[in-house]
């Protein structure tokens, strides 16, 4: 017969005794269960005992956690937590150093248990541990054990870190600042000061004033991973507790002392794997670095600021005025203002007064900072971007200023600039520690990517938001790869073309829809030969039906028609001129023929000879999208049959070339159109 649901079968152990196998009734009070266990071993005073889990941290069983006991659990009978706490605290006052050490070791073993911790704290256990730490009679193992036990007890949150005394905190600071200190003590002292700094603004100021940044730099440069991690933890805690001005001053000082380079070379690229705790502190440090940009991001441009007006003029001059020349030479004031306004428009500002574009926050002045940085650090790329787009047709130009403003917003969003730090995140980017001015450098790469993507998408002004969505995806996907350097980021993000983004979207959509599930893929492979046969048959039928094409004269007029089709036996292409308004001719009535066996290649777009010959006008750009040519052998030379498709819909994908000799060759003579 199965036992009731609230009864579990367990084993109970005790030193020097035969274990008991009992059925524990979870409905029975724990005191009654203890009495039965003690009676079975003839132990009086059951209130002096308690049950513990035999494995793990040997947690005490209480009414609150007893439901964690399952069938097959092994418990042990031990001294009750109040009596054990009394015994160990007496041991801390032992005259024997070995006695104190053993008491600390056992205390540390039980300290993670909340029930035991409360008993120790209620008996002034923290004060007794504090005395050992403050006295500092033993700077070795005893001090390390006392610090660890103190930290474990404080972790339960029963006592606030703000209650610690100033002399106690100063003593711990001394351990951090000592040169010849046991390697096990300083990480614990740093960890204690981190908790103090994060929990108490008053004591945090004390720590900040008494732990020099240079001392933390010394700890960071020691090849001891635990010491490095705790030093970084205290450093980020001090930075988080500082005002924005203090934080900037501290980071500037640390950067001058080459901390960034050390982190990049000796921590991020260390032979030892990066621990989760260090990854979190590097995430916090990165967030604080980027947070320095927030004031600029939230400050709009002041149209009355002489400095900011000069910065805008410098941006315009770098694009449109050769070095040493002035736009105002020989011009009236009105003419000069008109010319400047026109150049700001060419620069991509939406308003003739660019200050109005930069009144939006975010990105505020941060967008201006980015544009100025790009113009000064990459002047050739800046001039090329602006002048290239100034010479495009209006609808296809990529506006530099508008793009820069929106890109700055996008980067701030992707990098969470100005957002509070997460308490658990580890999502830092190694490249931000790879060089100075990392945000502005990232902008320089991103604005050039935007221009490249704009051209790949053949975008117009109406497509601006679509381009930004693609750029956002390119940047987000590449940042997620955590490239180790800006150069690697540049390589990876430029390889993620618009076409590749579309392919990835399609693949992900198919995965979400289950289209790429193994059974579907298997079925698709089975059906593929039949489907390919149907596609081939449909295309051949369409070719046999034929199509009317326009001829384009030298004056670019599409005023004549010609017809081309594939013969019923698929051996030749038949073509010839037709009159407008007359129905499609029969294949037999077409005078010209091109054997399929003579065809070399199919060319499209700019590769077509009739597109190359027509120049680069606006109309030719439209024609280019519809152009295709068939190259074929004409005696010993190569000739072309040139087409302009009636529409993009008619410009269907080309079938597989019918002969292996289809390949691009040097241009020869051109025939027909």
């Amino acid at each position: 017969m199965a036992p009731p649901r609230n009864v579990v079968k367990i084993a109970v152990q005790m030193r020097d005794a035969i274990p008991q196998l009992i059925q524990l009734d979870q409905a029975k009070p724990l005191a009654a269960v203890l009495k039965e266990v003690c009676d079975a071993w003839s132990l009086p005073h059951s209130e002096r005992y308690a049950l513990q889990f035999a494995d793990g941290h040997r947690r005490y069983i209480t009414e609150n956690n007893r439901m964690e006991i399952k069938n097959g659990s092994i418990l042990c009978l031990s001294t009750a937590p109040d009596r054990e706490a009394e015994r160990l605290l007496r041991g801390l006052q032992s005259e024997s150093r070995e006695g104190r050490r053993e008491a600390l070791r056992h205390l540390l073993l039980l300290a993670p248990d909340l029930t035991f911790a409360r008993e120790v704290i209620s008996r002034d256990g923290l004060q007794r541990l504090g005395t050992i730490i403050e006295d500092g009679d033993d700077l070795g193992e005893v001090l390390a054990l006392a610090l660890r036990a103190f930290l474990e007890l404080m972790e339960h949150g029963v006592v606030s870190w703000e209650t610690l005394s100033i002399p106690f905190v100063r003593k711990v600071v001394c351990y951090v600042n000592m040169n010849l200190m046991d390697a096990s003590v300083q990480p614990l002292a740093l960890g204690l000061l981190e908790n103090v700094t994060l929990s108490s603004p008053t004591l945090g100021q004390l720590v900040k004033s008494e732990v020099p940044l240079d001392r933390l730099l010394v700890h960071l440069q020691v090849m001891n991973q635990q010491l490095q991690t705790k030093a970084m933890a205290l450093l980020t805690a001090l930075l988080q507790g500082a005002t924005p001005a203090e934080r900037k001053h501290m980071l500037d000082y640390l950067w001058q002392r080459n901390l960034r380079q050390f982190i990049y070379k000796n921590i991020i690229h260390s032979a030892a794997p990066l621990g989760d705790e260090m990854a979190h502190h590097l995430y916090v440090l990165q967030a604080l670095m980027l947070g320095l940009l927030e004031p600029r991001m939230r400050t709009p441009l002041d149209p009355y600021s002489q400095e900011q007006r000069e910065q805008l003029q410098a941006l315009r001059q770098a694009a449109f005025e050769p070095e040493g020349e002035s736009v105002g030479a020989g011009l009236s004031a009105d003419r000069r203002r008109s010319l400047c306004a026109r150049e700001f428009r060419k620069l991509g500002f939406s308003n003739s007064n660019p200050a109005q574009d930069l009144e939006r926050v975010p990105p505020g002045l941060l967008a201006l900072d980015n544009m100025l940085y790009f113009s000064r650090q990459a002047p050739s790329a800046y001039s090329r971007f602006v002048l290239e787009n100034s010479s495009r047709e209006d609808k296809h130009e990529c506006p530099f200023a508008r793009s820069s403003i929106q890109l700055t917003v996008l980067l701030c969003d992707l990098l969470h600039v100005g957002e509070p730090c997460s308490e658990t995140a580890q999502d830092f980017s190694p490249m931000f520690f790879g060089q100075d001015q990392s945000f502005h450098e990232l902008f320089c790469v991103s604005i050039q990517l935007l221009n490249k993507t704009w051209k790949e998408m053949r975008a117009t002004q109406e497509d601006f938001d679509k381009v930004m969505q693609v750029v956002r995806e390119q940047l987000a996907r590449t940042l997620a790869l955590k490239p180790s350097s800006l150069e690697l980021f540049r390589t990876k993000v430029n390889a993620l073309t618009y076409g590749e983004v579309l392919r990835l979207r399609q693949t992900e959509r198919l995965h979400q829809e289950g289209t790429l599930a193994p059974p579907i893929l298997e079925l698709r492979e089975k059906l593929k030969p039949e489907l390919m046969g149907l596609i081939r048959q449909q295309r051949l039928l369409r070719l046999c039906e034929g199509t009317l094409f326009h001829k384009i004269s030298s004056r670019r007029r599409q005023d004549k028609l010609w017809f081309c089709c594939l013969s019923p036996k698929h051996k030749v292409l038949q073509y010839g001129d037709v009159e407008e308004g007359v129905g499609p001719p029969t294949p037999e009535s077409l005078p010209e023929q091109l054997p399929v066996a003579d065809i070399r290649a199919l060319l499209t777009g700019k590769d077509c000879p009739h597109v190359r010959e027509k120049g680069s006008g606006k109309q030719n750009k439209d024609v280019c999208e519809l152009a295709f040519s068939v190259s074929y052998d004409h005696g010993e030379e190569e000739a072309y049959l040139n087409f302009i498709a009636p529409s993009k819909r008619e410009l269907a994908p080309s079938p597989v070339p019918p002969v292996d000799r289809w390949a691009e060759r040097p241009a020869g003579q051109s025939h027909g159109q």
Side-chain angles (χ1 to χ4, degrees), residues 154 159-166 195-196 199-203:
M154 291 296 292
V159 176
S160 169
W161 289 95
E162 294 181 287
T163 61
L164 301 186
S165 69
I166 290 177
N195 282 292
V196 167
S199 305
S200 169
T202 303
L203 293 175

Side-chain angles (χ1 to χ4, degrees), residues 84-119:
E84 187 69 3
E86 286 279 8
R87 184 182 75 81
L88 293 175
L89 291 175
R90 283 197 303 272
L92 296 184
Q93 297 174 312
S94 169
E95 295 293 330
S96 161
R97 184 167 176 269
E98 186 59 34
R100 291 197 301 274
R101 181 187 292 113
E102 283 305 311
L104 282 168
R105 283 175 179 164
H106 200 73
L107 178 64
L108 184 59
L109 185 67
L110 295 173
D113 183 89
L114 178 59
T115 303
F116 175 78
R118 281 182 171 143
E119 296 293 345

Side-chain angles (χ1 to χ4, degrees), residues 359-404:
E359 288 175 353
R360 169 188 169 195
V361 289
L365 291 175
L366 186 57
L368 179 59
D369 294 342
N370 276 335
M371 290 188 279
L372 281 169
Y373 187 89
F374 182 47
S375 70
R376 291 167 179 169
Q377 300 301 316
S380 298
Y382 170 67
S383 298
R384 187 166 56 251
F385 187 117
V386 175
L387 297 178
E388 177 185 292
N389 284 288
S390 297
S391 62
R392 286 185 194 171
E393 301 168 44
D394 288 344
K395 68 172 185 175
H396 285 290
E397 64 181 6
C398 178
F400 171 74
R402 183 185 176 194
S403 299
S404 297

